[in-house]
């Protein structure tokens, strides 16, 4: 049996696993990825990547490549709940305008199907040196104090092997055999509905009535499901619920039955259509969160850590953000710059975010299932808040006394506190306009007022003594960047002479709201030590 060594093994080659491989490469870690399927997904599945996640892809130089591969439904805006597509529209879900998002981020929503995005990520992962092993099964994990041994089988040849890794990321999907193997339980509502999906061809122009739908959620006595455009013309997929407790099964979906269901969903009894296939495996919509996101040297991420209804397009982006949170921490621990306690913050930070996101997805799904929008409106947070407003009440940062314990804040009125996303502000520099988001690099970033630039050098030196990279920028009149809108101090919660320190993942980890009389070297050292578990 062949034995190899790798710093990190990623189990699962979906959006989360492939993204983790790319993000780890940015942090200097060449991961080995193991995926049991021979190819990436052939089903659209996730269809939208939110602007916060696009910020992450932007940071690794992938934004334009992803946008170039975007879905034919780019430009569609409508998420509608209907009795039938041609009939009554019950509710249209509110969407943020491009102008609203532009105040908060330089990135935008990107509509791209999962079967389009995964090949792009796979190609990029190979380019940055990740070792990808598709059609390879993980048979067992053995963990000791120093490593995890991953036992594998090449499903094409039958060859077995062992990979000894410092850390393992289990991103192996909602049914996650690895999470089960680790004995990590999950909590939540569980399975909500069972579904089958099938593709069909039809002219739905008259039923659409000029609407450009991302999805139409149908609920009537004959069918409960979702109509989704594929080519924005004549090709569609419909996801239809069935109910085993009523004696129904996936075997009931014959071609004749599928024709009847499409007509019932569209609301045109004699609609001409062609069913492409009826042999896709059944699946389910569930809502649950793992009881913990880590055990020893093994971390669960993406659908292995949390599953939620697709209403809201939260699932894929939440998993990709898990990977980004984890990658820089693993990179610094492997380099010796951080202590192992830094990795404990992964569960502390990401699990509360998952809990809040699942709750919001469930509220949106309740409308799909027939609940009136007004019954959930008071608990429903808008998509912009859910996209940008999540924060970490505890974690790898120097917390401020009196900080709220809430997981969500208004991204249009950011606090700038440690544990929150560092806000986007448009600055002017020598090379023209730049977003603060684009100044976050592979290491830590310090922003200081222009009148305090004499102290930035000592902060950089302090970071160097700890073995971490820190880039310092001054903002204000006479500084490296000017603030033409006057928003920088307001959004970061600073006054003249203040400073803020941002982690590699774009979250604030320390802040001096006002001048500390030059005591920044010690303050930055203390903040970095606390963040890096070097106390």
């Amino acid at each position: 049996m062949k034995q190899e060594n790798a710093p990190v093994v990623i189990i699962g080659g979906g959006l989360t696993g492939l993204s983790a491989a790319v993000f780890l490469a940015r942090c200097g870690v060449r991961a080995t990825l193991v995926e049991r399927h021979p190819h990436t997904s052939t089903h659209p599945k996730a269809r939208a990547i939110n602007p916060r996640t696009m910020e992450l892809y932007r940071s690794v130089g992938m934004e334009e490549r992803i946008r170039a591969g975007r879905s034919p439904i780019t430009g569609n805006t409508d998420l509608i709940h209907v009795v039938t597509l041609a009939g009554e529209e019950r509710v249209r879900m509110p969407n943020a305008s491009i102008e609203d998002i532009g105040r908060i981020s330089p990135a935008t929503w990107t509509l791209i199907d999962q079967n389009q995005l995964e090949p792009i990520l796979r190609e990029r992962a190979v380019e940055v040196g990740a070792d990808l092993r598709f059609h390879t099964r993980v048979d067992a994990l053995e963990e000791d104090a120093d490593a995890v041994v991953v036992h594998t089988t090449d499903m094409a040849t039958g060859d077995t092997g062992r990979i000894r890794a410092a850390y393992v990321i289990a991103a192996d999907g909602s049914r996650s055999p690895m999470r089960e193997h680790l004995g990590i339980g999950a909590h939540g509502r569980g399975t909500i509905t069972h579904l089958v999906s099938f593709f069909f061809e039809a002219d739905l122009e008259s039923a659409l009535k000029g609407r450009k739908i991302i999805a139409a959620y149908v609920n009537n006595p004959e069918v409960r499901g979702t109509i989704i455009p594929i080519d924005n013309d004549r090709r569609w997929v419909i996801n239809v619920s069935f109910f085993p407790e009523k004696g129904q099964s996936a075997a009931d979906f014959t071609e004749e039955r599928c024709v009847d269901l499409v007509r019932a969903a569209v609301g045109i009894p004699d609609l001409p259509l062609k069913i492409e296939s009826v042999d896709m495996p059944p699946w389910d919509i569930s809502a649950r969160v793992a009881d913990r996101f880590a055990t020893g040297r093994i971390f669960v991420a993406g659908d292995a850590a949390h599953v939620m209804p697709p209403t809201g397009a939260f699932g894929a982006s939440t998993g990709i953000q898990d990977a980004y949170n984890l990658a820089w921490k693993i990179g610094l621990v492997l380099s010796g710059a951080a202590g192992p306690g830094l990795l404990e913050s992964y569960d502390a930070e990401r699990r509360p975010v998952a809990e809040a996101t699942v709750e919001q997805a469930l509220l949106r799904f309740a409308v799909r299932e027939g609940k009136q929008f007004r019954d959930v409106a008071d608990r429903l947070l808008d998509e912009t808040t859910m996209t940008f407003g999540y924060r970490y009440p505890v974690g790898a940062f120097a917390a401020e006394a009196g900080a709220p314990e809430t997981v969500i804040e208004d991204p249009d009125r950011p606090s700038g506190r440690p544990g929150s996303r560092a806000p986007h502000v448009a600055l002017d520099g020598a090379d023209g306009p730049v977003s603060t988001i684009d100044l976050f690099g592979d290491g830590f970033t310090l922003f200081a007022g222009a009148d305090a630039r004499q102290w930035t050098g000592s902060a950089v030196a302090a970071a160097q003594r700890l073995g971490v990279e820190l880039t310092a920028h001054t903002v204000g009149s006479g500084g490296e960047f000017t603030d033409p809108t006057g928003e920088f101090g307001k959004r970061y919660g600073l006054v003249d002479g203040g400073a803020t320190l941002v982690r590699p993942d774009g979250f604030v980890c320390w802040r001096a709201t006002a001048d500390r009389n030059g005591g920044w070297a010690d303050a930055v050292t203390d903040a970095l030590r606390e963040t890096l578990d070097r106390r």
Side-chain angles (χ1 to χ4, degrees), residues 24 58 70 107 121 123 176 187 196 208 230 232 234 244 252 254 279 281 305 310 313 348 399 455 482 519:
L24 282 164
R58 182 185 180 101
R70 59 190 181 271
L121 289 167
E123 180 181 52
S176 186
H187 58 277
V196 294
L208 286 168
I230 299 298
N232 230 17
R234 292 178 177 270
D252 299 335
T254 62
D279 58 356
W455 307 116
T482 58

Side-chain angles (χ1 to χ4, degrees), residues 172-376:
D172 55 336
S174 60
R175 291 184 171 85
S176 186
M178 292 302 104
R179 189 189 66 235
E180 294 287 334
H181 172 77
L182 296 168
I184 297 176
H187 58 277
R189 184 171 168 183
T191 300
I192 302 171
T193 186
H194 300 268
L195 305 101
V196 294
S197 300
F198 51 92
F199 293 88
F200 67 95
E201 295 178 14
D203 180 357
L204 302 185
E205 183 177 3
S206 63
L208 286 168
K209 303 173 186 176
R211 294 169 294 188
K212 297 292 186 181
I213 64 167
I214 297 171
Y217 302 107
V218 177
N219 192 342
N220 64 53
E222 295 180 72
V223 60
R224 185 181 298 176
T226 309
I227 299 173
I228 301 169
I230 299 298
D231 62 1
N232 230 17
D233 183 20
R234 292 178 177 270
R235 191 162 183 257
W236 313 82
V237 65
I238 185 168
N239 307 321
V240 178
S241 293
F242 67 93
F243 305 93
E245 67 275 14
K246 297 180 180 179
Q248 300 173 1
S249 74
D252 299 335
F253 290 84
T254 62
E255 184 170 340
E256 181 180 6
R257 173 68 175 147
C258 290
V259 168
D260 291 340
L261 288 168
V262 171
R263 288 172 172 166
V266 174
I268 300 177
D270 57 351
L271 176 73
L273 70 134
K274 175 185 176 183
I275 301 294
E276 289 189 9
S277 66
V278 292
D279 58 356
M280 294 183 67
W283 54 288
D284 61 69
I285 290 176
S286 301
R288 59 178 177 269
V289 178
D291 295 336
R292 60 186 189 277
F293 283 16
T295 178
R297 292 176 170 270
I298 305 168
F299 307 91
V300 292
D303 285 354
H306 42 71
V307 290
M308 61 195 76
T311 41
F314 298 136
S317 285
T318 304
I320 294 163
Q321 291 164 24
D322 291 343
Y324 201 75
N325 179 284
L326 193 52
W328 72 272
K329 296 174 180 177
I330 289 176
L332 287 178
V333 172
L334 287 175
S335 74
L342 174 61
L343 290 169
E344 295 176 6
S345 67
Y346 170 67
D347 175 82
E349 291 180 353
R350 293 303 301 169
R351 187 152 49 91
V353 172
E355 300 270 9
T357 307
V358 169
E359 179 184 3
Q360 287 295 310
L362 278 170
L363 290 173
R364 287 160 169 79
F365 190 76
V367 179
R368 185 260 201 198
E369 295 293 274
K371 184 167 284 192
Q372 295 298 314
F373 181 74
R374 62 177 177 270
D375 294 335
V376 301

Side-chain angles (χ1 to χ4, degrees), residues 102-119:
R103 297 198 306 272
I104 299 170
S105 176
T108 60
W109 277 93
T110 298
L111 297 180
I112 183 168
D113 297 340
Q114 185 166 339
N115 59 332
Q116 295 171 307
L117 180 53
E118 284 186 7

